[in-house]
Amino acid sequence: MKSGAQILIEGLKEQGVEVIFGYPGGVVLPIYDELYDSDIRHILVRHEQAAIHAADGYARASGKVGVCLATSGPGACNLVTGLATAYMDSIPVVALTGQVPTMLLGNDAFQESDITGITMPVTKHNYLVQDVRDLKRIIREAFFIAGTGRKGPVLIDIPKDVSTTKIPDEDGPEQQIRLRGYKPTYQGHGKQIQKAIELLISSKRPIIYAGGGVISSNASEELVAFAERMCMPITTTLMGLGCIPADHPLNLGMLGMHGTEYANYAITGSDLLFSIGVRFDDRVTGNLATFAPNAKIIHIDIDPAEIGKNKPVDVPIVGDAKIILADLLKKIPESCPHPEWSAQVQGWKTNHPLRFKEDGALRPQLVLKKLSEILGTRGVIVSEVGQNQMWTAQYFRFSRPRQWISSGGLGTMGYGFPAAMGVQYACPDEPVFVIAGDGSFQMNIQELGTIAQYQIPVKVVILNNQFLGMVRQWQELFYERRYSYTELPEVAFAKIAQAYGIEAETITDAGDVEGALQRALDHKGPYLLDFRVVREENVFPMVPAGAAISEMIVGKHTEHEEE
Ligand SMILES: Cc1ncc(C[n+]2csc(CCOP(=O)(O)OP(=O)(O)O)c2C)c(N)n1
């Protein structure tokens, strides 16, 4: 005989789960009791939101499914932001929640919440298990759904009596995965691929626009090989950073609102946009009508719902980016040089580089530049949300996929620090740095307790401007500097870290940046660096939401033009 809790733990082991991030409570006691003797590691976080962000960070860094566990009611509700974060970025997570016993469902019982109802729009799928005999099958299905096709979070809600009820081992029904209506397409359609090849070969000014889909399908190698063969520059979305090394001559960095000027010029000048695993998100396109106005569009995506959603497409190809790019590489054996276009793109790149004022002041960009120099190709970089995220995206030189972990679609402040804990479990031998704003960091600051308890060697870098910087930047540029509720008081973050037993420093001088980063890197355990940066530094370039990327780059690097 086996209890539901035993079946659950066995099911997780069958899926190769090594670590769960969780927080206990009444209805998950039977599951915690099974975990006590299990060889699956459980990391006790300080807030359920951190549990799901950690599971999400683990998934992004490892490519495997991340797992978290919470109790019913408030515990389950605390997962919602994390589910929405994972859903928006198509990250495979299985969230396990406890539920009140089946006989009390719908009774407003203590700590009951309809979590499958609440999370329906932010999960790829969810289950309320009503019979322990379904549990084994549901666990297998949940991991299958989370980790295949367009990946995403799946929630399994397990009532307490389902965990405690025992059934004979062989009592379960047939355990094969059979999901009606769920058959992701992986191979591209032959005719569409042929049409794409014709466009690719005849184009004079082609560009690749690559996104998170390239990372999740592990297609970077094929992507770079294809770009080299076709002599096509690549610009990536925030989610696609790392799919081509920063120093590769064909790399144009990020496009869109905070993208490089040269990527945006190249998009506007191109005659063929080869879009792979992207969403034509508003932060990328600005005004859709003027985005890539002269280009034909090929769009590869595993989710047919993405194709043509925001912008009409000339050649849609539904399928897996890695498989389709490998197919294209076979079918286009010849190199396709575009010398004039390549020279023009190179000219934009040389004449409009990313730049910041290097005047001896402690500017946030300097911290990222130095960190990138110190780490080289090592390390995984996680960011919070706001200016800190954009400066990291702009100034850290990412050299490989899954080296950059950030909440793109939902833009969740408070994501980065807990996600970094999950990343560290996925990559135990890599240095893991989280780049945070002082606002974002205070959204899940309690996780200092977790990294201290388990000695998770995450290095926290706070770009402390005592502002909700990104919002302040918009107030400066568009609301006449009326800083309405965006100023934060000074906080002695180093003292807080030290109170948890974590080594920490406060850095006020640009000359100390390198040394401090090196000390953090050399330190075996967790470490916190509180950089007191120039408070009113802005992220440039910047195109306001909805504007035409081709026409408006706000700010014009004012400080540099004065020089
Ligand atoms: C949970 C959440 N609330 C609000 C926002 C809106 N928002 C976007 S950036 C930002 C400011 C971030 O400030 P901070 O973390 O200090 O970073 P900085 O921009 O100064 O680098 C805010 C409030 C958000 N993205 N997420």
Side-chain angles (χ1 to χ4, degrees):
M1 299 286 280
K2 272 188 191 145
S3 70
Q6 281 175 304
I7 293 170
L8 173 67
I9 300 302
E10 281 182 11
L12 295 176
K13 280 204 215 153
E14 181 186 277
Q15 298 297 327
V17 174
E18 304 159 331
V19 60
I20 296 180
F21 303 90
Y23 206 89
V27 295
V28 284
L29 275 169
I31 298 173
Y32 270 85
D33 197 53
E34 277 308 314
L35 273 173
Y36 191 66
D37 300 319
S38 154
D39 47 19
I40 294 181
R41 255 193 113 169
H42 174 278
I43 305 301
L44 176 67
V45 293
R46 298 298 179 271
H47 188 299
E48 291 87 354
Q49 184 185 355
I52 184 146
H53 290 330
D56 168 315
Y58 176 88
R60 292 187 204 228
S62 66
K64 299 184 202 163
V65 177
V67 181
C68 65
L69 170 60
T71 193
S72 65
C77 288
N78 277 342
L79 299 180
V80 172
T81 304
L83 288 168
T85 304
Y87 187 65
M88 284 288 267
D89 289 345
S90 308
I91 305 303
V93 170
V94 168
L96 305 165
T97 50
Q99 182 54 281
V100 302
T102 44
M103 63 172 293
L104 292 178
L105 281 171
N107 201 38
D108 297 335
F110 176 64
Q111 294 195 328
E112 179 182 12
S113 67
D114 173 13
I115 199 64
T116 46
I118 291 170
T119 61
M120 191 169 290
V122 292
T123 49
K124 185 172 172 187
H125 195 58
N126 65 22
Y127 294 91
L128 170 59
V129 187
Q130 305 219 40
D131 185 331
V132 64
R133 286 170 301 178
D134 296 333
L135 189 57
K136 193 167 173 178
R137 170 183 57 80
I138 286 176
I139 295 161
R140 287 180 176 171
E141 285 181 8
F143 277 81
F144 180 69
I145 294 170
T148 55
R150 179 174 187 167
K151 295 169 180 138
V154 177
L155 181 137
I156 311 177
D157 199 22
I158 308 171
K160 189 171 186 181
D161 56 319
V162 170
S163 291
T164 52
T165 303
K166 290 190 171 173
I167 51 170
D169 287 2
E170 64 287 348
D171 205 17
E174 244 289 78
Q175 302 294 345
Q176 286 296 318
I177 298 179
R178 262 188 260 107
L179 294 166
R180 273 211 296 160
Y182 181 73
K183 283 205 177 53
T185 305
Y186 293 98
Q187 307 282 345
H189 191 283
K191 256 193 191 160
Q192 297 302 99
I193 290 192
Q194 205 43 51
K195 279 193 205 163
I197 290 172
E198 281 158 27
L199 282 182
L200 285 160
I201 289 177
S202 61
S203 156
K204 301 271 181 291
R205 300 187 307 279
I207 184 167
I208 293 174
Y209 155 37
V214 173
I215 310 270
S216 57
S217 83
N218 298 315
S220 298
E221 225 173 275
E222 289 79 2
L223 177 82
V224 175
F226 184 79
E228 285 171 353
R229 170 131 353 133
M230 303 301 290
C231 306
M232 285 172 83
I234 300 181
T235 176
T236 77
T237 64
L238 183 80
M239 299 304 299
L241 285 172
C243 70
I244 173 168
D247 56 7
H248 193 290
L250 289 171
N251 183 28
L252 300 183
M254 186 168 74
L255 80 166
M257 179 180 278
H258 295 297
T260 61
E261 284 173 72
Y262 43 92
N264 287 327
Y265 292 147
I267 284 281
T268 304
S270 72
D271 68 357
L272 179 65
L273 192 59
F274 186 25
S275 329
I276 311 170
V278 292
R279 304 190 284 125
F280 291 79
D281 170 69
D282 57 281
R283 288 300 192 261
V284 161
T285 63
N287 181 351
L288 273 165
T290 52
F291 177 68
N294 310 309
K296 291 240 186 307
I297 299 178
I298 303 170
H299 189 180
I300 300 177
D301 205 285
I302 198 147
D303 182 358
E306 276 305 337
I307 297 185
K309 186 181 85 177
N310 294 332
K311 185 110 179 147
V313 163
D314 298 278
V315 181
I317 309 179
V318 177
D320 178 75
K322 187 181 181 76
I323 294 173
I324 295 169
L325 284 167
D327 196 19
L328 284 170
L329 272 168
K330 266 194 247 143
K331 290 178 176 157
I332 314 182
E334 300 288 313
S335 172
C336 274
H338 317 277
E340 272 178 41
W341 173 236
S342 299
Q344 186 168 26
V345 172
Q346 190 51 50
W348 283 323
K349 218 172 153 177
T350 312
N351 296 330
H352 305 276
L354 275 175
R355 55 203 186 275
F356 67 96
K357 203 168 182 180
E358 297 193 60
D359 57 355
L362 206 180
R363 294 185 193 273
Q365 301 94 325
L366 178 76
V367 178
L368 272 320
K369 190 178 160 198
K370 291 280 175 213
L371 180 62
S372 194
E373 283 167 12
I374 288 174
L375 287 178
T377 56
R378 285 178 300 168
V380 181
I381 308 299
V382 190
S383 84
E384 287 288 351
V385 165
Q387 293 180 310
N388 60 85
Q389 178 182 35
M390 295 304 146
W391 285 317
T392 312
Q394 292 178 337
Y395 288 96
F396 195 91
R397 312 278 297 160
F398 296 101
S399 56
R400 61 192 147 80
R402 302 188 189 278
Q403 192 189 10
W404 158 242
I405 310 283
S406 193
S407 164
L410 201 67
T412 306
M413 288 173 70
Y415 167 82
F417 180 34
M421 302 194 298
V423 171
Q424 190 74 75
Y425 281 98
C427 311
D429 301 326
E430 290 282 355
V432 176
F433 278 76
V434 54
I435 313 300
D438 48 322
S440 297
F441 186 60
Q442 291 184 78
M443 284 216 174
N444 271 317
I445 190 170
Q446 77 286 343
E447 297 309 314
L448 285 169
T450 311
I451 62 168
Q453 180 177 356
Y454 297 99
Q455 282 299 294
I456 307 173
V458 164
K459 318 299 180 193
V460 181
V461 169
I462 305 176
L463 303 176
N464 186 351
N465 52 16
Q466 293 171 45
F467 274 120
L468 297 173
M470 186 58 98
V471 183
R472 184 210 59 74
Q473 173 169 343
W474 282 67
Q475 289 171 336
E476 176 186 332
L477 296 174
F478 308 113
Y479 293 86
E480 296 159 0
R481 280 185 186 261
R482 288 158 52 82
Y483 292 166
S484 180
Y485 302 103
T486 45
E487 197 155 0
L488 299 173
E490 182 179 350
V491 175
F493 289 110
K495 281 193 189 157
I496 296 177
Q498 283 153 0
Y500 279 100
I502 295 168
E503 287 205 28
E505 299 179 38
T506 307
I507 302 94
T508 53
D509 204 286
D512 296 336
V513 170
E514 213 168 326
L517 289 169
Q518 191 65 52
R519 280 191 293 282
L521 179 63
D522 294 342
H523 183 73
K524 270 195 155 179
Y527 208 88
L528 181 142
L529 297 171
D530 177 5
F531 288 100
R532 302 297 171 92
V533 297
V534 171
R535 293 192 63 208
E536 295 188 53
E537 187 72 33
N538 283 340
V539 179
F540 286 123
M542 149 123 187
V543 182
I549 284 189
S550 51
E551 288 152 22
M552 293 191 63
I553 293 181
V554 169
K556 297 281 182 199
H557 295 271
T558 18
E559 287 172 13
H560 304 279
E561 282 171 7
E562 283 160 14
E563 286 164 5

